[in-house]
Amino acid sequence: LTPRERYVRELERRLPFALGLRGRAVAEVREHLRDGGDEALARFGPVDELAAELAHELRVAASARATWLVPALVAAFVFPFYLVPENAFPPAPWVSVPDYLAWKQDAALAAFVLAVGAAFTAAVVGRLWPRVALVPLALAVAALAVAATFASVMDVQWIDAVPGTSPWLVYGLLVPARLVFVLAAAGLFLGAGLRDGGHELATD
Amino acid sequence: LRSEVLKGHLDLLLLAALSAAPGHGYALVERLRDESGGAFDLSEGTVYPALYRLERAKLLASRWSVVGGRRRRIYSLTRTGRRELAERRRDWTLFAAAVKGVVGA
């Protein structure tokens, strides 16, 4: 490895993933060093100092990105959570929902409302303080996971409770789709919030 | 010039350097050095974090572009950036005139 490439790789190792923003920073530095050669390498300074300054900027930028991507996911979650089952499931044969289903329905709805509120808060707070917005963002992701869990358990029980409910729709579409939404939201949150390769949530 | 003096005016210098034409990081460092007759010899380690900060503040925008077969991240001023530059130029003119009045030419 040339000293320049070693510098770039060392920089890459020290920067957080930051929802893909690390790749951009590393590519820019690599191109710059190709232009400027060894003189530019000397002028970049110690790699740990550059990494510390860039890491802060990348984390803030990634947080700002997550504060609109996660709320967008939460908003789109209404399709597998409510709109699809409401329109695709057969009509229920009862007047009022049985208790063993009703409390799960209420819990799922409450969790979803909480997720929407927390995501909206994160989107607003994130305009000014992207790192602070990670707190409501974490709440939004957790609430989304709870909503997805209760809704999925309820739908599985719905198959036996309501004749004509398609198991394929539940197992093949709704449950996997909700899981994808939750994993995507969690991935965005972790990608924006975690330090490089570690498990510590960066709060700077 | 002392680096702390330069750092105090870094944002203004970068915005002004980009007001003439968009450019990538290396070109910006060169442009600042050339246009200042070598006085503004900013280190690359200072310029990139500042560019990222200005972009986050929506004063700059950036995009990848292929120039001469090489992939470059090109920075340009946003409309907000142009407004900010005009304000900072006005402030700088007043400040420089005031300092000159006190310190003398």
Side-chain angles (χ1 to χ4, degrees):
Chain A
L1 287 180
T2 64
R4 276 176 271 167
E5 188 55 27
R6 200 177 304 129
Y7 185 92
V8 171
R9 292 194 183 186
E10 191 61 28
L11 178 68
E12 185 171 23
R13 198 178 65 79
R14 289 164 191 250
L15 289 178
F17 169 66
L19 299 182
L21 292 170
R22 173 176 62 189
R24 168 194 157 178
V26 169
E28 271 191 286
V29 171
R30 183 175 276 123
E31 284 301 316
H32 191 118
L33 288 172
R34 282 178 69 182
D35 285 327
D38 291 340
E39 189 191 336
L41 178 62
R43 295 160 51 82
F44 261 108
V47 71
D48 53 343
E49 285 180 19
L50 177 65
E53 286 205 52
L54 277 180
H56 173 73
E57 290 302 327
L58 294 186
R59 284 194 196 103
V60 177
S63 302
R65 188 176 283 188
T67 58
W68 65 266
L69 283 173
V70 171
L73 270 178
V74 170
F77 186 73
V78 74
F79 285 94
F81 178 74
Y82 174 74
L83 289 178
V84 173
E86 181 66 18
N87 290 292
F89 282 5
W94 50 67
V95 178
S96 62
V97 183
D99 286 347
Y100 76 100
L101 289 175
W103 74 266
K104 294 182 189 92
Q105 194 172 35
D106 292 343
L109 186 61
F112 181 62
V113 169
L114 180 63
V116 170
F120 179 75
T121 304
V124 173
V125 173
R127 296 311 98 199
L128 292 176
W129 305 288
R131 298 299 290 175
V132 177
L134 286 177
V135 177
L137 214 58
L139 180 62
V141 173
L144 196 71
V146 171
T149 303
F150 278 114
S152 296
V153 170
M154 197 186 75
D155 285 356
V156 168
Q157 293 180 327
W158 202 270
I159 295 171
D160 293 330
V162 181
T165 304
S166 163
W168 181 90
L169 182 66
V170 174
Y171 291 115
L173 181 69
L174 292 176
V175 173
R178 289 172 189 148
L179 186 64
V180 166
F181 271 81
V182 171
L183 290 178
L188 285 170
F189 169 73
L190 293 175
L194 287 182
R195 289 192 187 278
D196 42 329
H199 302 290
E200 181 189 354
L201 188 68
T203 54
D204 54 344
Chain B
L1 281 175
R2 292 180 188 179
S3 61
E4 61 267 30
V5 176
L6 276 182
K7 278 189 178 177
H9 303 292
L10 182 59
D11 291 0
L12 172 62
L13 290 172
L14 289 173
L15 292 174
L18 283 168
S19 67
H24 52 80
Y26 182 76
L28 266 177
V29 172
E30 292 283 294
R31 196 179 294 172
L32 282 168
R33 194 184 302 151
D34 292 346
E35 291 179 1
S36 67
F40 295 159
D41 198 13
L42 290 166
S43 80
E44 277 80 344
T46 307
V47 168
Y48 279 100
L51 287 173
Y52 280 51
R53 181 166 40 76
L54 291 171
E55 188 175 3
R56 181 158 51 81
K58 304 198 185 317
L59 301 179
L60 299 182
S62 71
R63 62 184 166 77
W64 286 111
S65 180
V66 177
V67 181
R70 300 269 299 276
R71 201 161 158 261
R72 307 283 201 171
R73 190 81 187 180
I74 304 292
Y75 292 88
S76 58
L77 282 185
T78 60
R79 191 176 296 179
T80 313
R82 291 195 182 281
R83 273 201 303 271
E84 181 73 17
L85 174 61
E87 281 181 28
R88 290 189 185 215
R89 268 191 173 134
R90 202 166 41 244
D91 291 347
W92 167 251
T93 306
L94 291 171
F95 178 74
V99 170
K100 193 177 175 185
V102 173
V103 176

